[in-house]
PDB file of all heavy atoms in Angstrom:
ATOM      1  N   THR A 922      49.122 -53.988 197.952  1.00 76.00           N
ATOM      2  CA  THR A 922      48.872 -52.750 197.224  1.00 76.00           C
ATOM      3  C   THR A 922      47.951 -51.829 198.027  1.00 76.00           C
ATOM      4  O   THR A 922      48.191 -50.630 198.129  1.00 76.00           O
ATOM      5  CB  THR A 922      48.256 -53.054 195.839  1.00 76.00           C
ATOM      6  OG1 THR A 922      49.165 -53.890 195.125  1.00 76.00           O
ATOM      7  CG2 THR A 922      48.007 -51.798 195.046  1.00 76.00           C
ATOM      8  N   LYS A 923      46.916 -52.393 198.621  1.00 81.00           N
ATOM      9  CA  LYS A 923      45.982 -51.608 199.433  1.00 81.00           C
ATOM     10  C   LYS A 923      46.691 -51.015 200.649  1.00 81.00           C
ATOM     11  O   LYS A 923      46.503 -49.843 200.988  1.00 81.00           O
ATOM     12  CB  LYS A 923      44.811 -52.486 199.872  1.00 81.00           C
ATOM     13  CG  LYS A 923      43.771 -51.749 200.671  1.00 81.00           C
ATOM     14  CD  LYS A 923      42.641 -52.674 201.088  1.00 81.00           C
ATOM     15  CE  LYS A 923      41.649 -51.894 201.953  1.00 81.00           C
ATOM     16  NZ  LYS A 923      40.726 -52.726 202.650  1.00 81.00           N
ATOM     17  N   THR A 924      47.523 -51.818 201.314  1.00 82.00           N
ATOM     18  CA  THR A 924      48.264 -51.357 202.486  1.00 82.00           C
ATOM     19  C   THR A 924      49.173 -50.188 202.136  1.00 82.00           C
ATOM     20  O   THR A 924      49.222 -49.185 202.848  1.00 82.00           O
ATOM     21  CB  THR A 924      49.093 -52.512 203.102  1.00 82.00           C
ATOM     22  OG1 THR A 924      48.198 -53.554 203.477  1.00 82.00           O
ATOM     23  CG2 THR A 924      49.891 -52.055 204.299  1.00 82.00           C
ATOM     24  N   VAL A 925      49.905 -50.316 201.038  1.00 80.00           N
ATOM     25  CA  VAL A 925      50.799 -49.240 200.604  1.00 80.00           C
ATOM     26  C   VAL A 925      50.000 -47.983 200.272  1.00 80.00           C
ATOM     27  O   VAL A 925      50.344 -46.885 200.699  1.00 80.00           O
ATOM     28  CB  VAL A 925      51.659 -49.685 199.394  1.00 80.00           C
ATOM     29  CG1 VAL A 925      52.386 -48.504 198.777  1.00 80.00           C
ATOM     30  CG2 VAL A 925      52.653 -50.757 199.817  1.00 80.00           C
ATOM     31  N   THR A 926      48.925 -48.149 199.519  1.00 79.00           N
ATOM     32  CA  THR A 926      48.112 -47.014 199.112  1.00 79.00           C
ATOM     33  C   THR A 926      47.550 -46.267 200.325  1.00 79.00           C
ATOM     34  O   THR A 926      47.580 -45.036 200.379  1.00 79.00           O
ATOM     35  CB  THR A 926      46.955 -47.475 198.190  1.00 79.00           C
ATOM     36  OG1 THR A 926      47.528 -48.130 197.056  1.00 79.00           O
ATOM     37  CG2 THR A 926      46.112 -46.310 197.736  1.00 79.00           C
ATOM     38  N   GLU A 927      47.081 -47.005 201.309  1.00 84.00           N
ATOM     39  CA  GLU A 927      46.456 -46.377 202.479  1.00 84.00           C
ATOM     40  C   GLU A 927      47.450 -45.878 203.519  1.00 84.00           C
ATOM     41  O   GLU A 927      47.211 -44.867 204.170  1.00 84.00           O
ATOM     42  CB  GLU A 927      45.497 -47.369 203.144  1.00 84.00           C
ATOM     43  CG  GLU A 927      44.282 -47.682 202.294  1.00 84.00           C
ATOM     44  CD  GLU A 927      43.397 -48.758 202.905  1.00 84.00           C
ATOM     45  OE1 GLU A 927      43.730 -49.291 203.997  1.00 84.00           O
ATOM     46  OE2 GLU A 927      42.359 -49.081 202.283  1.00 84.00           O
ATOM     47  N   ASN A 928      48.580 -46.593 203.689  1.00 81.00           N
ATOM     48  CA  ASN A 928      49.481 -46.280 204.795  1.00 81.00           C
ATOM     49  C   ASN A 928      50.783 -45.593 204.419  1.00 81.00           C
ATOM     50  O   ASN A 928      51.468 -45.083 205.296  1.00 81.00           O
ATOM     51  CB  ASN A 928      49.807 -47.564 205.565  1.00 81.00           C
ATOM     52  CG  ASN A 928      48.577 -48.190 206.163  1.00 81.00           C
ATOM     53  OD1 ASN A 928      47.833 -47.539 206.874  1.00 81.00           O
ATOM     54  ND2 ASN A 928      48.335 -49.447 205.848  1.00 81.00           N
ATOM     55  N   VAL A 929      51.144 -45.611 203.152  1.00 81.00           N
ATOM     56  CA  VAL A 929      52.406 -45.006 202.754  1.00 81.00           C
ATOM     57  C   VAL A 929      52.188 -43.771 201.876  1.00 81.00           C
ATOM     58  O   VAL A 929      52.739 -42.704 202.149  1.00 81.00           O
ATOM     59  CB  VAL A 929      53.314 -46.011 202.004  1.00 81.00           C
ATOM     60  CG1 VAL A 929      54.606 -45.341 201.565  1.00 81.00           C
ATOM     61  CG2 VAL A 929      53.613 -47.201 202.883  1.00 81.00           C
ATOM     62  N   LEU A 930      51.391 -43.910 200.844  1.00 83.00           N
ATOM     63  CA  LEU A 930      51.237 -42.808 199.887  1.00 83.00           C
ATOM     64  C   LEU A 930      50.802 -41.486 200.521  1.00 83.00           C
ATOM     65  O   LEU A 930      51.257 -40.431 200.071  1.00 83.00           O
ATOM     66  CB  LEU A 930      50.316 -43.212 198.740  1.00 83.00           C
ATOM     67  CG  LEU A 930      50.866 -44.316 197.823  1.00 83.00           C
ATOM     68  CD1 LEU A 930      49.926 -44.562 196.652  1.00 83.00           C
ATOM     69  CD2 LEU A 930      52.264 -44.005 197.336  1.00 83.00           C
ATOM     70  N   PRO A 931      49.975 -41.488 201.564  1.00 82.00           N
ATOM     71  CA  PRO A 931      49.633 -40.194 202.177  1.00 82.00           C
ATOM     72  C   PRO A 931      50.846 -39.447 202.747  1.00 82.00           C
ATOM     73  O   PRO A 931      50.805 -38.233 202.901  1.00 82.00           O
ATOM     74  CB  PRO A 931      48.659 -40.575 203.299  1.00 82.00           C
ATOM     75  CG  PRO A 931      48.068 -41.865 202.863  1.00 82.00           C
ATOM     76  CD  PRO A 931      49.182 -42.579 202.131  1.00 82.00           C
ATOM     77  N   TYR A 932      51.919 -40.166 203.050  1.00 80.00           N
ATOM     78  CA  TYR A 932      53.116 -39.541 203.612  1.00 80.00           C
ATOM     79  C   TYR A 932      54.149 -39.132 202.562  1.00 80.00           C
ATOM     80  O   TYR A 932      55.116 -38.450 202.877  1.00 80.00           O
ATOM     81  CB  TYR A 932      53.799 -40.503 204.600  1.00 80.00           C
ATOM     82  CG  TYR A 932      53.003 -40.748 205.847  1.00 80.00           C
ATOM     83  CD1 TYR A 932      52.199 -41.876 205.957  1.00 80.00           C
ATOM     84  CD2 TYR A 932      53.059 -39.860 206.911  1.00 80.00           C
ATOM     85  CE1 TYR A 932      51.468 -42.110 207.110  1.00 80.00           C
ATOM     86  CE2 TYR A 932      52.327 -40.082 208.062  1.00 80.00           C
ATOM     87  CZ  TYR A 932      51.532 -41.211 208.156  1.00 80.00           C
ATOM     88  OH  TYR A 932      50.806 -41.431 209.289  1.00 80.00           O
ATOM     89  N   VAL A 933      53.980 -39.585 201.334  1.00 82.00           N
ATOM     90  CA  VAL A 933      54.980 -39.315 200.305  1.00 82.00           C
ATOM     91  C   VAL A 933      55.059 -37.821 200.033  1.00 82.00           C
ATOM     92  O   VAL A 933      54.059 -37.166 199.765  1.00 82.00           O
ATOM     93  CB  VAL A 933      54.684 -40.100 199.007  1.00 82.00           C
ATOM     94  CG1 VAL A 933      55.607 -39.649 197.880  1.00 82.00           C
ATOM     95  CG2 VAL A 933      54.842 -41.589 199.262  1.00 82.00           C
ATOM     96  N   HIS A 934      56.274 -37.337 200.123  1.00 71.00           N
ATOM     97  CA  HIS A 934      56.530 -35.911 199.969  1.00 71.00           C
ATOM     98  C   HIS A 934      57.035 -35.580 198.575  1.00 71.00           C
ATOM     99  O   HIS A 934      56.774 -34.532 198.022  1.00 71.00           O
ATOM    100  CB  HIS A 934      57.554 -35.482 201.031  1.00 71.00           C
ATOM    101  CG  HIS A 934      57.979 -34.062 200.944  1.00 71.00           C
ATOM    102  ND1 HIS A 934      59.135 -33.673 200.325  1.00 71.00           N
ATOM    103  CD2 HIS A 934      57.380 -32.932 201.380  1.00 71.00           C
ATOM    104  CE1 HIS A 934      59.247 -32.360 200.392  1.00 71.00           C
ATOM    105  NE2 HIS A 934      58.206 -31.895 201.022  1.00 71.00           N
ATOM    106  N   ASP A 935      57.780 -36.511 197.999  1.00 70.00           N
ATOM    107  CA  ASP A 935      58.468 -36.230 196.743  1.00 70.00           C
ATOM    108  C   ASP A 935      58.959 -37.549 196.156  1.00 70.00           C
ATOM    109  O   ASP A 935      58.914 -38.588 196.806  1.00 70.00           O
ATOM    110  CB  ASP A 935      59.670 -35.321 197.033  1.00 70.00           C
ATOM    111  CG  ASP A 935      60.134 -34.519 195.830  1.00 70.00           C
ATOM    112  OD1 ASP A 935      59.585 -34.710 194.727  1.00 70.00           O
ATOM    113  OD2 ASP A 935      61.037 -33.683 195.990  1.00 70.00           O
ATOM    114  N   THR A 936      59.439 -37.486 194.917  1.00 72.00           N
ATOM    115  CA  THR A 936      60.157 -38.623 194.349  1.00 72.00           C
ATOM    116  C   THR A 936      61.572 -38.157 194.067  1.00 72.00           C
ATOM    117  O   THR A 936      61.810 -36.990 193.774  1.00 72.00           O
ATOM    118  CB  THR A 936      59.517 -39.156 193.047  1.00 72.00           C
ATOM    119  OG1 THR A 936      59.461 -38.101 192.100  1.00 72.00           O
ATOM    120  CG2 THR A 936      58.142 -39.720 193.307  1.00 72.00           C
ATOM    121  N   PHE A 937      62.510 -39.070 194.160  1.00 67.00           N
ATOM    122  CA  PHE A 937      63.923 -38.763 193.967  1.00 67.00           C
ATOM    123  C   PHE A 937      64.167 -38.507 192.487  1.00 67.00           C
ATOM    124  O   PHE A 937      63.774 -39.305 191.638  1.00 67.00           O
ATOM    125  CB  PHE A 937      64.745 -39.944 194.482  1.00 67.00           C
ATOM    126  CG  PHE A 937      66.163 -39.606 194.811  1.00 67.00           C
ATOM    127  CD1 PHE A 937      66.490 -38.495 195.555  1.00 67.00           C
ATOM    128  CD2 PHE A 937      67.174 -40.436 194.389  1.00 67.00           C
ATOM    129  CE1 PHE A 937      67.800 -38.201 195.873  1.00 67.00           C
ATOM    130  CE2 PHE A 937      68.501 -40.164 194.703  1.00 67.00           C
ATOM    131  CZ  PHE A 937      68.812 -39.047 195.444  1.00 67.00           C
ATOM    132  N   GLU A 938      64.810 -37.409 192.178  1.00 67.00           N
ATOM    133  CA  GLU A 938      65.041 -37.025 190.787  1.00 67.00           C
ATOM    134  C   GLU A 938      66.357 -37.549 190.217  1.00 67.00           C
ATOM    135  O   GLU A 938      66.618 -37.406 189.042  1.00 67.00           O
ATOM    136  CB  GLU A 938      64.994 -35.496 190.650  1.00 67.00           C
ATOM    137  CG  GLU A 938      63.648 -34.895 191.011  1.00 67.00           C
ATOM    138  CD  GLU A 938      62.519 -35.397 190.134  1.00 67.00           C
ATOM    139  OE1 GLU A 938      62.739 -35.617 188.925  1.00 67.00           O
ATOM    140  OE2 GLU A 938      61.407 -35.589 190.657  1.00 67.00           O
ATOM    141  N   CYS A 939      67.176 -38.139 191.052  1.00 66.00           N
ATOM    142  CA  CYS A 939      68.468 -38.643 190.595  1.00 66.00           C
ATOM    143  C   CYS A 939      68.260 -39.693 189.506  1.00 66.00           C
ATOM    144  O   CYS A 939      67.427 -40.586 189.653  1.00 66.00           O
ATOM    145  CB  CYS A 939      69.202 -39.252 191.778  1.00 66.00           C
ATOM    146  SG  CYS A 939      70.837 -39.868 191.403  1.00 66.00           S
ATOM    147  N   TRP A 940      69.005 -39.612 188.426  1.00 61.00           N
ATOM    148  CA  TRP A 940      68.791 -40.500 187.270  1.00 61.00           C
ATOM    149  C   TRP A 940      68.866 -41.976 187.632  1.00 61.00           C
ATOM    150  O   TRP A 940      68.128 -42.789 187.110  1.00 61.00           O
ATOM    151  CB  TRP A 940      69.786 -40.183 186.148  1.00 61.00           C
ATOM    152  CG  TRP A 940      71.194 -40.549 186.507  1.00 61.00           C
ATOM    153  CD1 TRP A 940      72.112 -39.768 187.129  1.00 61.00           C
ATOM    154  CD2 TRP A 940      71.829 -41.809 186.293  1.00 61.00           C
ATOM    155  NE1 TRP A 940      73.269 -40.463 187.341  1.00 61.00           N
ATOM    156  CE2 TRP A 940      73.131 -41.711 186.822  1.00 61.00           C
ATOM    157  CE3 TRP A 940      71.427 -42.997 185.707  1.00 61.00           C
ATOM    158  CZ2 TRP A 940      74.033 -42.765 186.784  1.00 61.00           C
ATOM    159  CZ3 TRP A 940      72.326 -44.057 185.671  1.00 61.00           C
ATOM    160  CH2 TRP A 940      73.614 -43.923 186.202  1.00 61.00           C
ATOM    161  N   ASN A 941      69.777 -42.346 188.542  1.00 71.00           N
ATOM    162  CA  ASN A 941      69.934 -43.782 188.833  1.00 71.00           C
ATOM    163  C   ASN A 941      68.963 -44.291 189.891  1.00 71.00           C
ATOM    164  O   ASN A 941      68.863 -45.492 190.102  1.00 71.00           O
ATOM    165  CB  ASN A 941      71.379 -44.100 189.227  1.00 71.00           C
ATOM    166  CG  ASN A 941      71.774 -43.489 190.546  1.00 71.00           C
ATOM    167  OD1 ASN A 941      71.238 -42.479 190.962  1.00 71.00           O
ATOM    168  ND2 ASN A 941      72.732 -44.092 191.207  1.00 71.00           N
ATOM    169  N   ARG A 942      68.231 -43.418 190.543  1.00 78.00           N
ATOM    170  CA  ARG A 942      67.226 -43.812 191.542  1.00 78.00           C
ATOM    171  C   ARG A 942      65.875 -43.201 191.174  1.00 78.00           C
ATOM    172  O   ARG A 942      65.050 -42.916 192.018  1.00 78.00           O
ATOM    173  CB  ARG A 942      67.626 -43.345 192.942  1.00 78.00           C
ATOM    174  CG  ARG A 942      68.990 -43.796 193.384  1.00 78.00           C
ATOM    175  CD  ARG A 942      68.961 -45.161 194.009  1.00 78.00           C
ATOM    176  NE  ARG A 942      70.321 -45.654 194.205  1.00 78.00           N
ATOM    177  CZ  ARG A 942      70.649 -46.487 195.144  1.00 78.00           C
ATOM    178  NH1 ARG A 942      69.760 -46.933 195.989  1.00 78.00           N
ATOM    179  NH2 ARG A 942      71.878 -46.917 195.246  1.00 78.00           N
ATOM    180  N   ARG A 943      65.672 -43.029 189.889  1.00 77.00           N
ATOM    181  CA  ARG A 943      64.470 -42.374 189.371  1.00 77.00           C
ATOM    182  C   ARG A 943      63.197 -42.973 189.962  1.00 77.00           C
ATOM    183  O   ARG A 943      62.981 -44.171 189.923  1.00 77.00           O
ATOM    184  CB  ARG A 943      64.423 -42.501 187.852  1.00 77.00           C
ATOM    185  CG  ARG A 943      63.218 -41.850 187.199  1.00 77.00           C
ATOM    186  CD  ARG A 943      63.251 -42.004 185.706  1.00 77.00           C
ATOM    187  NE  ARG A 943      64.493 -41.524 185.151  1.00 77.00           N
ATOM    188  CZ  ARG A 943      64.671 -40.291 184.657  1.00 77.00           C
ATOM    189  NH1 ARG A 943      63.689 -39.460 184.644  1.00 77.00           N
ATOM    190  NH2 ARG A 943      65.836 -39.947 184.179  1.00 77.00           N
ATOM    191  N   GLY A 944      62.366 -42.092 190.528  1.00 83.00           N
ATOM    192  CA  GLY A 944      61.078 -42.515 191.037  1.00 83.00           C
ATOM    193  C   GLY A 944      61.060 -42.998 192.477  1.00 83.00           C
ATOM    194  O   GLY A 944      60.010 -43.364 192.994  1.00 83.00           O
ATOM    195  N   MET A 945      62.227 -43.003 193.153  1.00 84.00           N
ATOM    196  CA  MET A 945      62.270 -43.448 194.551  1.00 84.00           C
ATOM    197  C   MET A 945      61.403 -42.509 195.393  1.00 84.00           C
ATOM    198  O   MET A 945      61.526 -41.298 195.304  1.00 84.00           O
ATOM    199  CB  MET A 945      63.715 -43.435 195.072  1.00 84.00           C
ATOM    200  CG  MET A 945      63.845 -43.862 196.529  1.00 84.00           C
ATOM    201  SD  MET A 945      65.559 -43.750 197.120  1.00 84.00           S
ATOM    202  CE  MET A 945      66.158 -45.364 196.640  1.00 84.00           C
ATOM    203  N   LEU A 946      60.519 -43.090 196.201  1.00 82.00           N
ATOM    204  CA  LEU A 946      59.631 -42.273 197.023  1.00 82.00           C
ATOM    205  C   LEU A 946      60.367 -41.734 198.242  1.00 82.00           C
ATOM    206  O   LEU A 946      61.209 -42.413 198.831  1.00 82.00           O
ATOM    207  CB  LEU A 946      58.422 -43.085 197.478  1.00 82.00           C
ATOM    208  CG  LEU A 946      57.538 -43.671 196.383  1.00 82.00           C
ATOM    209  CD1 LEU A 946      56.307 -44.328 197.000  1.00 82.00           C
ATOM    210  CD2 LEU A 946      57.125 -42.643 195.355  1.00 82.00           C
ATOM    211  N   MET A 947      59.997 -40.507 198.613  1.00 80.00           N
ATOM    212  CA  MET A 947      60.610 -39.820 199.743  1.00 80.00           C
ATOM    213  C   MET A 947      59.514 -39.364 200.695  1.00 80.00           C
ATOM    214  O   MET A 947      58.469 -38.907 200.249  1.00 80.00           O
ATOM    215  CB  MET A 947      61.381 -38.586 199.260  1.00 80.00           C
ATOM    216  CG  MET A 947      62.325 -38.832 198.092  1.00 80.00           C
ATOM    217  SD  MET A 947      63.720 -39.846 198.529  1.00 80.00           S
ATOM    218  CE  MET A 947      64.653 -38.690 199.486  1.00 80.00           C
ATOM    219  N   VAL A 948      59.763 -39.506 201.990  1.00 80.00           N
ATOM    220  CA  VAL A 948      58.849 -38.952 202.983  1.00 80.00           C
ATOM    221  C   VAL A 948      59.634 -38.017 203.887  1.00 80.00           C
ATOM    222  O   VAL A 948      60.821 -38.232 204.136  1.00 80.00           O
ATOM    223  CB  VAL A 948      58.134 -40.044 203.825  1.00 80.00           C
ATOM    224  CG1 VAL A 948      57.209 -40.875 202.977  1.00 80.00           C
ATOM    225  CG2 VAL A 948      59.121 -40.905 204.563  1.00 80.00           C
TER     226      VAL A 948
END
Side-chain angles (χ1 to χ4, degrees):
T922 301
K923 182 180 177 194
T924 300
V925 169
T926 302
E927 292 175 359
N928 298 307
V929 178
L930 293 185
Y932 292 97
V933 171
H934 176 262
D935 203 356
T936 58
F937 201 47
E938 298 299 324
C939 182
W940 69 271
N941 67 333
R942 305 274 170 152
R943 180 179 306 265
M945 179 183 273
L946 301 186
M947 311 292 287
V948 294

